[in-house]
Short mmCIF file of all heavy atoms in Angstrom, two decimals:
data_model
loop_
_atom_site.label_atom_id
_atom_site.label_comp_id
_atom_site.label_asym_id
_atom_site.label_seq_id
_atom_site.Cartn_x
_atom_site.Cartn_y
_atom_site.Cartn_z
N GLY A 11 144.96 -3.49 -5.79
CA GLY A 11 146.39 -3.28 -5.63
C GLY A 11 147.25 -4.47 -5.99
O GLY A 11 148.46 -4.46 -5.76
N VAL A 12 146.66 -5.51 -6.56
CA VAL A 12 147.44 -6.69 -6.95
C VAL A 12 148.26 -6.35 -8.20
O VAL A 12 147.71 -5.83 -9.17
CB VAL A 12 146.51 -7.89 -7.24
CG1 VAL A 12 147.31 -9.09 -7.73
CG2 VAL A 12 145.72 -8.24 -5.99
N PRO A 13 149.55 -6.64 -8.17
CA PRO A 13 150.38 -6.29 -9.33
C PRO A 13 150.05 -7.18 -10.53
O PRO A 13 149.50 -8.27 -10.38
CB PRO A 13 151.81 -6.55 -8.84
CG PRO A 13 151.66 -7.55 -7.75
CD PRO A 13 150.35 -7.22 -7.08
N PRO A 14 150.35 -6.72 -11.74
CA PRO A 14 150.06 -7.50 -12.94
C PRO A 14 150.98 -8.71 -13.06
O PRO A 14 152.05 -8.76 -12.46
CB PRO A 14 150.32 -6.50 -14.07
CG PRO A 14 151.36 -5.57 -13.50
CD PRO A 14 151.03 -5.46 -12.04
N HIS A 15 150.56 -9.66 -13.83
CA HIS A 15 151.36 -10.86 -14.03
C HIS A 15 151.49 -11.21 -15.50
O HIS A 15 151.67 -12.36 -15.86
CB HIS A 15 150.74 -12.04 -13.27
CG HIS A 15 150.72 -11.85 -11.79
ND1 HIS A 15 151.84 -11.93 -11.00
CD2 HIS A 15 149.71 -11.54 -10.94
CE1 HIS A 15 151.53 -11.70 -9.74
NE2 HIS A 15 150.23 -11.46 -9.67
N LYS A 16 151.38 -10.20 -16.35
CA LYS A 16 151.52 -10.47 -17.77
C LYS A 16 152.09 -9.25 -18.47
O LYS A 16 152.06 -8.14 -17.96
CB LYS A 16 150.18 -10.87 -18.39
CG LYS A 16 149.08 -9.82 -18.28
CD LYS A 16 147.79 -10.33 -18.90
CE LYS A 16 146.67 -9.31 -18.78
NZ LYS A 16 145.42 -9.77 -19.45
N VAL A 17 152.65 -9.51 -19.64
CA VAL A 17 153.24 -8.46 -20.46
C VAL A 17 152.31 -8.06 -21.59
O VAL A 17 152.21 -6.89 -21.94
CB VAL A 17 154.60 -8.92 -21.03
CG1 VAL A 17 155.16 -7.92 -22.03
CG2 VAL A 17 155.60 -9.15 -19.89
N PHE A 18 151.58 -9.03 -22.14
CA PHE A 18 150.76 -8.81 -23.33
C PHE A 18 149.28 -8.73 -23.00
O PHE A 18 148.81 -9.35 -22.05
CB PHE A 18 150.98 -9.94 -24.34
CG PHE A 18 152.40 -10.06 -24.82
CD1 PHE A 18 153.27 -10.97 -24.22
CD2 PHE A 18 152.87 -9.28 -25.87
CE1 PHE A 18 154.58 -11.09 -24.67
CE2 PHE A 18 154.17 -9.39 -26.31
CZ PHE A 18 155.04 -10.30 -25.70
N ASP A 19 148.56 -7.97 -23.79
CA ASP A 19 147.10 -7.95 -23.74
C ASP A 19 146.62 -8.83 -24.89
O ASP A 19 146.56 -8.41 -26.03
CB ASP A 19 146.58 -6.52 -23.92
CG ASP A 19 145.07 -6.43 -23.78
OD1 ASP A 19 144.41 -7.48 -23.74
OD2 ASP A 19 144.55 -5.31 -23.74
N GLY A 20 146.29 -10.08 -24.57
CA GLY A 20 145.93 -11.03 -25.61
C GLY A 20 147.08 -11.93 -25.97
O GLY A 20 148.23 -11.71 -25.56
N PRO A 21 146.83 -12.99 -26.73
CA PRO A 21 147.86 -13.98 -27.05
C PRO A 21 148.95 -13.43 -27.96
O PRO A 21 148.70 -12.55 -28.78
CB PRO A 21 147.06 -15.09 -27.74
CG PRO A 21 145.87 -14.40 -28.32
CD PRO A 21 145.52 -13.31 -27.35
N SER A 22 150.14 -14.00 -27.80
CA SER A 22 151.28 -13.61 -28.63
C SER A 22 152.05 -14.82 -29.13
O SER A 22 153.20 -14.70 -29.54
CB SER A 22 152.22 -12.68 -27.84
OG SER A 22 152.73 -13.36 -26.70
N ASP A 23 151.42 -15.99 -29.09
CA ASP A 23 152.11 -17.21 -29.49
C ASP A 23 152.04 -17.42 -31.00
O ASP A 23 151.53 -16.58 -31.74
CB ASP A 23 151.50 -18.42 -28.76
CG ASP A 23 150.00 -18.55 -28.98
OD1 ASP A 23 149.45 -17.83 -29.84
OD2 ASP A 23 149.37 -19.37 -28.29
N ASP A 24 152.57 -18.54 -31.45
CA ASP A 24 152.63 -18.81 -32.90
C ASP A 24 151.24 -18.87 -33.52
O ASP A 24 151.04 -18.44 -34.66
CB ASP A 24 153.37 -20.13 -33.16
CG ASP A 24 154.86 -20.02 -32.88
OD1 ASP A 24 155.40 -18.90 -32.97
OD2 ASP A 24 155.49 -21.06 -32.59
N ARG A 25 150.28 -19.43 -32.78
CA ARG A 25 148.92 -19.50 -33.31
C ARG A 25 148.34 -18.11 -33.52
O ARG A 25 147.70 -17.83 -34.54
CB ARG A 25 148.03 -20.31 -32.38
CG ARG A 25 146.58 -20.42 -32.86
CD ARG A 25 145.75 -21.29 -31.93
NE ARG A 25 146.23 -22.66 -31.91
CZ ARG A 25 145.67 -23.63 -31.18
NH1 ARG A 25 144.63 -23.36 -30.42
NH2 ARG A 25 146.17 -24.86 -31.23
N ALA A 26 148.59 -17.20 -32.56
CA ALA A 26 148.11 -15.83 -32.68
C ALA A 26 148.76 -15.14 -33.89
O ALA A 26 148.10 -14.38 -34.61
CB ALA A 26 148.41 -15.06 -31.41
N ILE A 27 150.03 -15.39 -34.10
CA ILE A 27 150.73 -14.79 -35.24
C ILE A 27 150.18 -15.35 -36.55
O ILE A 27 150.04 -14.61 -37.54
CB ILE A 27 152.24 -15.04 -35.12
CG1 ILE A 27 152.79 -14.27 -33.91
CG2 ILE A 27 152.97 -14.62 -36.40
CD1 ILE A 27 154.24 -14.61 -33.59
N ALA A 28 149.84 -16.62 -36.56
CA ALA A 28 149.26 -17.22 -37.77
C ALA A 28 147.94 -16.56 -38.12
O ALA A 28 147.62 -16.37 -39.30
CB ALA A 28 149.08 -18.73 -37.58
N VAL A 29 147.16 -16.20 -37.11
CA VAL A 29 145.90 -15.51 -37.37
C VAL A 29 146.18 -14.14 -37.98
O VAL A 29 145.51 -13.72 -38.93
CB VAL A 29 145.08 -15.38 -36.08
CG1 VAL A 29 143.81 -14.56 -36.33
CG2 VAL A 29 144.71 -16.75 -35.54
N MET A 30 147.16 -13.42 -37.46
CA MET A 30 147.55 -12.14 -38.05
C MET A 30 147.93 -12.32 -39.51
O MET A 30 147.51 -11.56 -40.39
CB MET A 30 148.72 -11.53 -37.28
CG MET A 30 148.42 -11.06 -35.88
SD MET A 30 149.92 -10.37 -35.12
CE MET A 30 149.31 -9.97 -33.49
N ARG A 31 148.72 -13.33 -39.79
CA ARG A 31 149.18 -13.57 -41.15
C ARG A 31 148.03 -13.88 -42.09
O ARG A 31 148.12 -13.61 -43.30
CB ARG A 31 150.20 -14.72 -41.18
CG ARG A 31 151.57 -14.36 -40.64
CD ARG A 31 152.62 -15.34 -41.13
NE ARG A 31 152.72 -15.28 -42.58
CZ ARG A 31 153.37 -16.19 -43.32
NH1 ARG A 31 153.94 -17.22 -42.75
NH2 ARG A 31 153.44 -16.07 -44.62
N SER A 32 146.96 -14.45 -41.56
CA SER A 32 145.82 -14.77 -42.42
C SER A 32 145.17 -13.51 -42.98
O SER A 32 144.42 -13.57 -43.94
CB SER A 32 144.78 -15.59 -41.63
OG SER A 32 144.10 -14.79 -40.67
N TRP A 33 145.48 -12.36 -42.38
CA TRP A 33 145.02 -11.08 -42.91
C TRP A 33 145.99 -10.51 -43.94
O TRP A 33 145.80 -9.41 -44.42
CB TRP A 33 144.86 -10.08 -41.76
CG TRP A 33 143.60 -10.21 -40.97
CD1 TRP A 33 142.98 -11.37 -40.57
CD2 TRP A 33 142.79 -9.14 -40.47
NE1 TRP A 33 141.87 -11.10 -39.85
CE2 TRP A 33 141.71 -9.73 -39.76
CE3 TRP A 33 142.87 -7.75 -40.53
CZ2 TRP A 33 140.72 -8.97 -39.15
CZ3 TRP A 33 141.89 -7.00 -39.91
CH2 TRP A 33 140.82 -7.60 -39.23
N HIS A 34 147.04 -11.24 -44.24
CA HIS A 34 148.06 -10.84 -45.22
C HIS A 34 148.87 -9.62 -44.76
O HIS A 34 149.25 -8.78 -45.57
CB HIS A 34 147.42 -10.56 -46.60
CG HIS A 34 146.68 -11.74 -47.15
ND1 HIS A 34 147.31 -12.83 -47.70
CD2 HIS A 34 145.35 -12.00 -47.21
CE1 HIS A 34 146.42 -13.71 -48.09
NE2 HIS A 34 145.21 -13.24 -47.79
N VAL A 35 149.14 -9.56 -43.45
CA VAL A 35 150.01 -8.50 -42.95
C VAL A 35 151.46 -8.96 -43.06
O VAL A 35 151.75 -10.17 -43.08
CB VAL A 35 149.69 -8.15 -41.48
CG1 VAL A 35 148.21 -7.85 -41.30
CG2 VAL A 35 150.12 -9.26 -40.53
N ASN A 36 152.37 -8.01 -43.14
CA ASN A 36 153.79 -8.36 -43.12
C ASN A 36 154.55 -7.65 -42.00
O ASN A 36 155.76 -7.81 -41.88
CB ASN A 36 154.46 -8.07 -44.46
CG ASN A 36 154.56 -6.57 -44.78
OD1 ASN A 36 154.15 -5.73 -43.99
ND2 ASN A 36 155.08 -6.25 -45.95
N THR A 37 153.83 -6.87 -41.15
CA THR A 37 154.47 -6.09 -40.11
C THR A 37 153.56 -5.99 -38.90
O THR A 37 152.34 -5.84 -39.04
CB THR A 37 154.80 -4.67 -40.61
OG1 THR A 37 155.55 -4.75 -41.81
CG2 THR A 37 155.61 -3.90 -39.57
N VAL A 38 154.17 -6.04 -37.71
CA VAL A 38 153.45 -5.80 -36.46
C VAL A 38 154.20 -4.73 -35.69
O VAL A 38 155.41 -4.81 -35.49
CB VAL A 38 153.34 -7.08 -35.61
CG1 VAL A 38 152.66 -6.78 -34.27
CG2 VAL A 38 152.57 -8.15 -36.37
N ARG A 39 153.47 -3.70 -35.26
CA ARG A 39 154.05 -2.61 -34.47
C ARG A 39 153.71 -2.84 -33.01
O ARG A 39 152.54 -3.03 -32.65
CB ARG A 39 153.51 -1.26 -34.94
CG ARG A 39 154.09 -0.04 -34.24
CD ARG A 39 153.65 1.22 -34.97
NE ARG A 39 154.10 2.45 -34.33
CZ ARG A 39 153.36 3.20 -33.51
NH1 ARG A 39 152.11 2.82 -33.23
NH2 ARG A 39 153.84 4.30 -32.98
N ILE A 40 154.74 -2.83 -32.16
CA ILE A 40 154.59 -3.14 -30.74
C ILE A 40 154.90 -1.89 -29.93
O ILE A 40 155.96 -1.27 -30.10
CB ILE A 40 155.54 -4.28 -30.33
CG1 ILE A 40 155.32 -5.52 -31.21
CG2 ILE A 40 155.34 -4.64 -28.86
CD1 ILE A 40 156.36 -6.60 -31.01
N LEU A 41 154.00 -1.53 -29.02
CA LEU A 41 154.17 -0.36 -28.16
C LEU A 41 154.89 -0.76 -26.88
O LEU A 41 154.51 -1.75 -26.25
CB LEU A 41 152.82 0.26 -27.83
CG LEU A 41 152.06 1.03 -28.93
CD1 LEU A 41 152.88 2.19 -29.44
CD2 LEU A 41 151.63 0.13 -30.07
N LEU A 42 155.90 0.02 -26.48
CA LEU A 42 156.71 -0.34 -25.32
C LEU A 42 156.61 0.69 -24.20
O LEU A 42 156.30 1.86 -24.42
CB LEU A 42 158.18 -0.50 -25.73
CG LEU A 42 158.48 -1.58 -26.78
CD1 LEU A 42 159.98 -1.65 -27.04
CD2 LEU A 42 157.96 -2.94 -26.33
N ASN A 43 156.90 0.23 -23.00
CA ASN A 43 156.90 1.04 -21.79
C ASN A 43 158.33 1.14 -21.27
O ASN A 43 158.96 0.12 -21.00
CB ASN A 43 155.98 0.40 -20.74
CG ASN A 43 155.87 1.20 -19.47
OD1 ASN A 43 156.85 1.52 -18.81
ND2 ASN A 43 154.63 1.50 -19.09
N GLU A 44 158.85 2.36 -21.13
CA GLU A 44 160.25 2.51 -20.75
C GLU A 44 160.52 2.00 -19.33
O GLU A 44 161.58 1.40 -19.07
CB GLU A 44 160.71 3.96 -20.89
CG GLU A 44 160.05 4.94 -19.96
CD GLU A 44 160.55 6.37 -20.15
OE1 GLU A 44 161.15 6.65 -21.20
OE2 GLU A 44 160.32 7.21 -19.24
N ASP A 45 159.58 2.20 -18.41
CA ASP A 45 159.78 1.72 -17.05
C ASP A 45 159.83 0.21 -16.99
O ASP A 45 160.64 -0.38 -16.27
CB ASP A 45 158.65 2.22 -16.13
CG ASP A 45 158.83 3.68 -15.74
OD1 ASP A 45 159.77 4.32 -16.24
OD2 ASP A 45 158.01 4.18 -14.94
N CYS A 46 158.94 -0.43 -17.74
CA CYS A 46 158.90 -1.89 -17.74
C CYS A 46 160.16 -2.47 -18.38
O CYS A 46 160.71 -3.48 -17.91
CB CYS A 46 157.65 -2.38 -18.46
SG CYS A 46 156.12 -1.87 -17.64
N TRP A 47 160.62 -1.85 -19.48
CA TRP A 47 161.85 -2.33 -20.12
C TRP A 47 163.05 -2.18 -19.18
O TRP A 47 163.88 -3.09 -19.06
CB TRP A 47 162.10 -1.57 -21.41
CG TRP A 47 163.33 -2.04 -22.13
CD1 TRP A 47 164.62 -1.62 -21.92
CD2 TRP A 47 163.41 -3.06 -23.13
NE1 TRP A 47 165.49 -2.30 -22.73
CE2 TRP A 47 164.77 -3.19 -23.49
CE3 TRP A 47 162.46 -3.86 -23.76
CZ2 TRP A 47 165.20 -4.09 -24.46
CZ3 TRP A 47 162.89 -4.77 -24.72
CH2 TRP A 47 164.25 -4.87 -25.06
N LEU A 48 163.13 -1.06 -18.49
CA LEU A 48 164.27 -0.79 -17.61
C LEU A 48 164.09 -1.38 -16.21
O LEU A 48 165.06 -1.44 -15.44
CB LEU A 48 164.49 0.71 -17.50
CG LEU A 48 164.86 1.43 -18.81
CD1 LEU A 48 164.89 2.93 -18.59
CD2 LEU A 48 166.20 0.94 -19.34
N GLY A 49 162.88 -1.82 -15.89
CA GLY A 49 162.63 -2.40 -14.57
C GLY A 49 162.70 -1.39 -13.45
O GLY A 49 163.24 -1.69 -12.37
N ILE A 50 162.13 -0.21 -13.66
CA ILE A 50 162.22 0.87 -12.67
C ILE A 50 160.83 1.36 -12.25
O ILE A 50 159.82 0.94 -12.82
CB ILE A 50 163.04 2.06 -13.22
CG1 ILE A 50 162.37 2.64 -14.48
CG2 ILE A 50 164.47 1.64 -13.51
CD1 ILE A 50 163.05 3.90 -15.02
N ASN A 51 160.83 2.24 -11.26
CA ASN A 51 159.61 2.94 -10.82
C ASN A 51 158.47 2.01 -10.45
O ASN A 51 157.32 2.22 -10.83
CB ASN A 51 159.16 3.95 -11.88
CG ASN A 51 160.12 5.11 -12.01
OD1 ASN A 51 160.89 5.40 -11.10
ND2 ASN A 51 160.10 5.79 -13.15
N GLY A 52 158.81 0.98 -9.71
CA GLY A 52 157.78 0.10 -9.17
C GLY A 52 157.30 -1.01 -10.08
O GLY A 52 156.30 -1.67 -9.78
N THR A 53 157.97 -1.21 -11.20
CA THR A 53 157.57 -2.31 -12.08
C THR A 53 157.81 -3.64 -11.39
O THR A 53 158.93 -3.91 -10.95
CB THR A 53 158.37 -2.28 -13.40
OG1 THR A 53 158.26 -1.00 -13.99
CG2 THR A 53 157.86 -3.34 -14.36
N PRO A 54 156.81 -4.51 -11.28
CA PRO A 54 157.01 -5.82 -10.64
C PRO A 54 158.07 -6.64 -11.39
O PRO A 54 158.04 -6.70 -12.62
CB PRO A 54 155.63 -6.48 -10.74
CG PRO A 54 154.68 -5.34 -10.87
CD PRO A 54 155.41 -4.30 -11.65
N PRO A 55 159.01 -7.26 -10.69
CA PRO A 55 160.07 -8.02 -11.36
C PRO A 55 159.55 -9.12 -12.28
O PRO A 55 160.20 -9.45 -13.27
CB PRO A 55 160.86 -8.62 -10.18
CG PRO A 55 160.61 -7.68 -9.04
CD PRO A 55 159.20 -7.20 -9.23
N ALA A 56 158.37 -9.65 -11.98
CA ALA A 56 157.83 -10.74 -12.81
C ALA A 56 157.50 -10.28 -14.22
O ALA A 56 157.45 -11.11 -15.15
CB ALA A 56 156.58 -11.32 -12.15
#
């Protein structure tokens, strides 16, 4: 029952992006959660 303390699954820093770029990608698609974006329905404030 411990609430989560992170937004991402895996790194999202500049080094992680550089690794993505090494595959010659030009786009990243990010999946979002409406409750987390709006801060509703029990989403931890952190």
Side-chain angles (χ1 to χ4, degrees):
V12 177
H15 297 286
K16 60 181 179 177
V17 172
F18 300 96
D19 184 350
S22 61
D23 56 10
D24 289 335
R25 179 177 296 181
I27 294 172
V29 176
M30 292 180 182
R31 286 200 62 193
S32 72
W33 280 41
H34 302 285
V35 308
N36 68 2
T37 307
V38 176
R39 183 170 177 262
I40 305 171
L41 288 301
L42 299 182
N43 182 304
E44 66 180 17
D45 283 4
C46 297
W47 181 274
L48 297 173
I50 61 175
N51 292 338
T53 306

